[in-house]
Amino acid sequence: MSIKTYAQAIRDVIAEEMRKNDKVFIMGEDIAKQGGIFGCTRGLLDEFGSERVRNTPISEAGFVGAGIGAACAGMRPIVELMYMDFTYVSMDQLLNQAAKIRYMFGGKATVPMVIRGQQGIGRGNGGQHSQCVEQFFMHIPGMKVAMPSSPSDAAGLLRTAIRDNNPVMFFEHKALYATKGEVPDDPEFAIPFGKANVLKEGKDVTIIGTHLYASKAMNVAKTLEAEGIDVEVIDPRTLVPMDTETMINSVKKTGRAVVVHEAHRTGGPGAEIASIITEGAFKYLDAPVIRLGAKQCTLPFNLGLENAVVPQEDDIIRAVKAVLYQ
Amino acid sequence: MIEKERMIHIFKTMNKIRKFEEKALQLFEQNKLRGSVHLCIGQEAIPATVCSLLRDVDYITSTHRGHGDCIAKGAELGRAMAELMGKATGYCKGRGGSMHIADFTKGNLGANAIVGGGLPIAVGGALAAKLKGTDQVAVAFFGDGASNIGTFHESLNLASVWKLPVIFVCVNNLYGISCHVSESTSVVDIGTSRAQGYNMPGYSIDGNDVITINDVMEKAIARAKAGEGPSLVECKTYRWFGHWTGDPQVYRTRQEVEDWKQKCPIKRFKEYLITNNILTNAECVEIEEDAFNQVEAATKFALESPEPDTSKVMEDVFCEN
Ligand SMILES: Cc1ncc(C[n+]2csc(CCOP(=O)(O)OP(=O)(O)O)c2C)c(N)n1
Ligand SMILES: [Mg+2]
C-alpha cells in the first residue's frame, strides 16, 4: 500500500497502463507540459512524448470524436475533458456516436475509450463549471459510468475503465483530488464494474451515496450512531452497470433507504436507484425511499447559495430520521 | 478618426479596467474573492476602443476574461466588483461571479465561461437587429483559443450567409491557458486567414494600439450598418498575468512577459495623447488617480454589500408569463 492523493492515483494508473500497452494514449487540453490543470497527467509528457500525450486545441467535439475514431481503429484512447461540463459541447460525439456505434452497426465495432474529467462544486467556478452530469450518460444506453469516491477506487476503477472494450465515462470530482488514502501497489489492482462498495454495515437504514456523498454518508452514520441509529452505507461505484443486487439486499435488511448525490434531484441517479429499490424490495420497505440531490436551479457562484442548493449533512440526517418516522 | 473627447474617454476606460483588475488580484490574494479570476491586464486597448464605438443599444458578448469588456460597455464598477464577491448587489445577484457578468440594460448579453459560447449569441443579437430593421450592431469578444471551437466556425458562416451586422473580435493573447497558438491553431493570422474561408473582411492588427483598432472597427461597423455583413478583427495582444490567479506559468518565460510589458497599451496611448497635445501629463495623471479612486469606492461598496438571501435561491429559474 502507498498513501496517494486521488489525483496521484489517477496519474499513476494512466502511466502504468501506458507502459503496458502502447495502444493506450491520452489527449486533452493543457495535459502535456502543464500536466493538466489538476495535475492528473503530470510527468507523462516527459515519459511518453508528445505523440502519446497530446495537447489538443479547444475543440471538444473534435477531439472527443477523434478519440472515438481512433478507438474504432484499434487504439485505446483516454480523453481528458478539463471539466465534465464540457461534455455538453461534445454531446453529439458522446451520445449519438460513441454510445451507439456498437449496437447500431450490428455489434461489429468496438469503442475502447475512456472519457475522464472532473465535475462538481467546491471551487466557486459558477454555473457552467460546477455541474454534475453523470445522469445523462445513464439515460442513453451504450456507455459505462464510473464514479470513484476515494484514491483507491480511482485507481481500481480507472484500470478497469482503460481495459474495458466499451466507452467509459469516468467522473472524477474536483473536491476529491487532494484527498489522500491507501492505494494498493499491485500494478494489476483493478475494481470490477458493477460491484458496489458496502462502506459500513448497519441494520436500521441504508444510505446510498456517490462521490463526495460516500464520505458524507459515513460522517452521518457516525453522528447517528451516537443516537442509536445503525446506518448501512453503500457507494455504488459504477452507475452503469449498477449493482442492483447489493442495494436491494441491503434494503431487504434495513427496510429504509436514503439516496443522495450532488447531481440535480429531478431525473438524477437517485431517481433510478429509488425505483430499483422500490421494484426490488417493495414488500420490505417501511417507508418511501427518499432522494436527495441539488435543487432545480443553476449552481450559483456565491458559497452560501451553493450550499443552499446541494444537500448538506444535516439534510441527510433529516432524511434518515424521516424514513424512521422520527 | 477619433475625436478628442472619445480619445479621452478611451483613456479613462483603459485606466478604470487596469485599476479594477489590479484590485481584483489584490482581493483574490486576500481571500476576499472566491473561484478563479481571469485578468485582462495588458489587453485594455481592445475593449476600451471597441466599446467606445458602440451605443447602449448595441450588443456585446464576452468571455471568462470579461471584466474589461463589461466595464468598457458601461458597467458600474461597484456592481461589477460586488458580483466578483458574490454579493446581492452584484450584476447577477451573486449567482454569476467573475466569469458571468451580464448587464442587459447596457447591451452586454453576458460573459461566458464556455469557450466559444458567446459567438452564436452575438450572431443572434445581430439577427434580431436585422429582423427588427434597427441599426444596432453586435460584437462578439473571444480569444485565440476560441477560434478553434465549432461555434466560431458556425457563427462566422451563419453571419456571412445572412449578412448580419456582427463584428467578431478575436483577442489573440498568444495562449489558451498553457497552449501557445502555434500549437493549437492552423494559421498564424486568425483574422486575415480565417475570414477568407467565410467570405468576409478579415484583419490581423496590433491590439495594443488604440488608433489601429479604432480605424479597423470603424470600417467593420460601417459595413455592418450598411447591411453588408460581418467582419473578423483579430487583435494581437498579451495577458501579463497567468491564465488565472495561481497559474504556475510553466509555458512561457519571464523575458517574454517583460518584453510585452514594454508594449503596455496604456503607456503607449498616454504618450500618444501627450505628444499630440490632447492631454497634458498632469491631466493624464489626474485620470489615473481618478480611476484608482473610483475602484476604491467600488470596492468599499462591494465589501459593505450584503450576502444574497439563501431563501431566494429558487427565484428566477423561470419568469412569469
Ligand atoms: C468549451 C470549453 N473548453 C475548455 C474550457 C477551459 N478553458 C477556459 S479558458 C480556456 C482558454 C481560453 O483561451 P482563449 O480563448 O485564447 O482565451 P484567453 O483565456 O486567452 O483569454 C480554456 C481552455 C472552457 N471554459 N470551455
Ligand atoms: Mg488566448
Side-chain angles (χ1 to χ4, degrees):
Chain A
M1 290 283 185
S2 301
I3 302 286
K4 289 182 188 178
T5 65
Y6 187 89
Q8 278 166 342
I10 288 164
R11 199 216 77 96
D12 288 354
V13 169
I14 296 170
E16 285 160 12
E17 292 303 297
M18 284 181 72
R19 267 173 225 134
K20 277 181 228 158
N21 186 343
D22 62 10
K23 297 275 189 314
V24 179
F25 72 100
I26 184 160
M27 55 183 167
E29 291 158 15
D30 304 282
I31 66 155
K33 203 168 185 181
Q34 182 96 347
I37 66 164
F38 295 94
C40 293
T41 55
R42 200 165 285 157
L44 298 185
L45 175 69
D46 290 341
E47 182 173 352
F48 300 104
S50 58
E51 282 295 309
R52 293 179 71 198
V53 181
R54 307 183 76 88
N55 256 3
T56 61
I58 309 171
S59 314
E60 282 83 359
F63 68 77
V64 166
I68 299 168
C72 291
M75 300 300 288
R76 303 188 78 86
I78 303 171
V79 177
E80 174 171 313
L81 288 173
M82 191 182 285
Y83 286 73
M84 283 306 214
D85 307 67
F86 309 155
T87 53
Y88 297 178
V89 177
S90 49
M91 209 52 126
D92 175 69
Q93 290 297 323
L94 291 167
L95 295 184
N96 267 329
Q97 315 303 333
K100 294 188 171 39
I101 281 178
R102 180 166 187 85
Y103 184 87
M104 208 167 63
F105 296 156
K108 293 197 186 72
T110 55
V111 188
M113 164 179 181
V114 178
I115 295 102
R116 51 159 290 274
Q118 54 76 34
Q119 63 174 13
I121 60 160
R123 289 176 73 100
N125 290 147
Q128 296 170 338
H129 282 59
S130 305
Q131 306 165 82
C132 288
V133 301
E134 66 271 20
Q135 61 279 17
F136 297 102
F137 303 91
M138 297 172 66
H139 183 69
I140 299 300
M143 294 190 132
K144 298 189 178 178
V145 177
M147 302 277 292
S149 64
S150 68
S152 161
D153 277 16
L157 293 171
L158 184 55
R159 182 164 284 108
T160 303
I162 295 170
R163 294 181 182 185
D164 200 295
N165 287 333
N166 298 282
V168 177
M169 297 299 299
F170 194 85
F171 290 96
E172 297 155 19
H173 197 292
K174 55 170 82 60
L176 288 172
Y177 279 135
T179 58
K180 287 189 178 159
E182 290 203 325
V183 179
D185 294 320
D186 176 5
E188 292 295 308
F189 168 65
I191 297 174
F193 281 5
K195 279 264 166 275
N197 190 12
V198 180
L199 289 163
K200 178 185 172 299
E201 291 191 11
K203 59 178 186 355
D204 297 331
V205 183
T206 305
I207 305 180
I208 297 163
T210 49
H211 263 177
L212 297 183
Y213 289 93
S215 63
K216 286 189 201 290
M218 289 298 282
N219 294 343
V220 164
K222 207 168 283 167
T223 307
L224 290 175
E225 204 172 80
E227 299 181 30
I229 301 170
D230 190 13
V231 176
E232 178 143 311
V233 178
I234 298 177
D235 174 358
R237 278 182 167 153
T238 56
L239 297 173
V240 181
M242 178 102 73
D243 183 357
T244 55
E245 199 184 310
T246 298
M247 293 189 284
I248 289 169
N249 286 341
S250 171
V251 177
K252 282 183 179 170
K253 175 175 68 175
T254 61
R256 300 160 208 272
V258 171
V259 191
V260 54
H261 52 64
E262 193 183 307
H264 291 296
R265 182 174 177 273
T266 302
E272 180 63 24
I273 293 171
S275 293
I276 287 167
I277 292 169
T278 306
E279 286 167 359
F282 185 70
K283 281 185 294 186
Y284 301 82
L285 278 171
D286 294 316
V289 181
I290 291 186
R291 287 171 291 152
L292 298 174
K295 292 193 169 74
Q296 290 311 113
C297 64
T298 297
L299 272 301
F301 166 74
N302 175 279
L303 180 61
L305 293 181
E306 189 180 89
N307 285 337
V309 169
V310 300
Q312 304 295 308
E313 285 181 17
D314 280 348
D315 299 318
I316 307 174
I317 291 175
R318 267 194 295 278
V320 168
K321 293 195 171 165
V323 295
L324 285 162
Y325 303 107
Q326 287 187 8
Chain B
M1 243 292 289
I2 321 184
E3 53 288 12
K4 181 177 169 184
E5 221 162 281
R6 193 154 61 80
M7 285 211 197
I8 297 170
H9 174 75
I10 292 171
F11 186 64
K12 285 183 177 171
T13 306
M14 290 169 84
N15 276 288
K16 275 202 281 188
I17 298 171
R18 174 71 56 95
K19 302 296 178 205
F20 185 92
E21 295 292 62
E22 286 172 355
K23 193 73 195 179
L25 176 60
Q26 189 191 341
L27 290 164
F28 186 85
E29 284 168 348
Q30 293 169 348
N31 273 326
K32 293 202 171 96
L33 294 186
R34 194 169 185 246
S36 51
V37 180
H38 305 82
L39 303 172
C40 70
I41 292 179
Q43 309 180 172
E44 297 92 341
I46 301 157
T49 311
V50 170
C51 292
S52 78
L53 289 159
L54 304 178
R55 304 153 298 174
D56 286 355
V57 294
D58 296 320
Y59 298 118
I60 65 161
T61 60
S62 174
T63 71
H64 57 284
R65 200 177 304 289
H67 305 164
D69 302 341
C70 90
I71 291 169
K73 198 69 176 58
E76 289 169 37
L77 297 180
R79 294 187 63 197
M81 192 60 92
E83 190 56 40
L84 263 60
M85 292 185 197
K87 295 295 184 78
T89 54
Y91 270 108
C92 310
K93 304 181 186 171
R95 294 171 182 176
S98 157
M99 292 197 286
H100 295 292
I101 300 180
D103 179 8
F104 281 65
T105 64
K106 293 271 198 245
N108 177 354
L109 299 182
N112 212 306
I114 298 299
V115 168
L119 283 88
I121 295 170
V123 169
L127 174 60
K130 183 167 190 189
L131 291 172
K132 290 195 248 174
T134 70
D135 70 344
Q136 293 161 287
V137 300
V139 169
F141 290 107
F142 57 95
D144 47 288
S147 77
N148 296 318
I149 198 155
T151 50
F152 166 89
H153 299 274
E154 297 185 21
S155 297
L156 266 69
N157 184 60
L158 203 51
S160 181
V161 293
W162 288 350
K163 291 201 179 347
L164 298 179
V166 54
I167 299 106
F168 299 100
V169 177
C170 178
V171 179
N172 181 354
N173 57 14
L174 303 184
Y175 295 91
I177 309 188
S178 73
C179 199
H180 191 267
V181 272
S182 60
E183 193 186 350
S184 63
T185 310
S186 56
V187 294
V188 175
D189 294 315
I190 294 167
T192 51
S193 300
R194 290 202 163 155
Q196 285 176 29
Y198 300 103
N199 193 23
M200 67 177 75
Y203 308 87
S204 294
I205 58 171
D206 181 346
N208 283 10
D209 182 32
V210 170
I211 307 300
T212 309
I213 301 168
N214 182 74
D215 288 351
V216 166
M217 281 304 296
E218 280 185 343
K219 274 189 240 169
I221 291 172
R223 174 179 151 86
K225 287 190 175 167
E228 291 163 16
S231 304
L232 173 60
V233 180
E234 176 203 2
C235 301
K236 295 191 196 273
T237 183
Y238 199 76
R239 60 165 159 77
W240 291 10
F241 286 83
H243 171 73
W244 50 44
T245 39
D247 177 355
Q249 300 183 57
V250 295
Y251 48 85
R252 63 184 189 182
T253 62
R254 249 172 238 275
Q255 190 57 48
E256 184 181 288
V257 179
E258 285 312 311
D259 290 348
W260 274 94
K261 283 187 179 172
Q262 298 309 312
K263 302 181 204 167
C264 174
I266 299 183
K267 188 165 148 263
R268 184 159 159 193
F269 192 44
K270 181 177 171 180
E271 281 163 12
Y272 177 92
L273 293 172
I274 294 169
T275 314
N276 289 278
N277 297 317
I278 293 156
L279 289 174
T280 63
N281 186 52
E283 285 167 332
C284 288
V285 172
E286 202 177 309
I287 286 172
E288 287 160 6
E289 285 171 1
D290 184 52
F292 179 83
N293 292 334
Q294 286 186 51
V295 169
E296 287 298 308
T299 306
K300 186 166 182 290
F301 167 81
L303 285 169
E304 288 170 0
S305 289
E307 290 284 320
D309 179 352
T310 54
S311 72
K312 296 196 174 140
V313 75
M314 288 303 291
E315 280 182 8
D316 302 323
V317 174
F318 296 106
C319 59
E320 295 301 317
N321 282 320

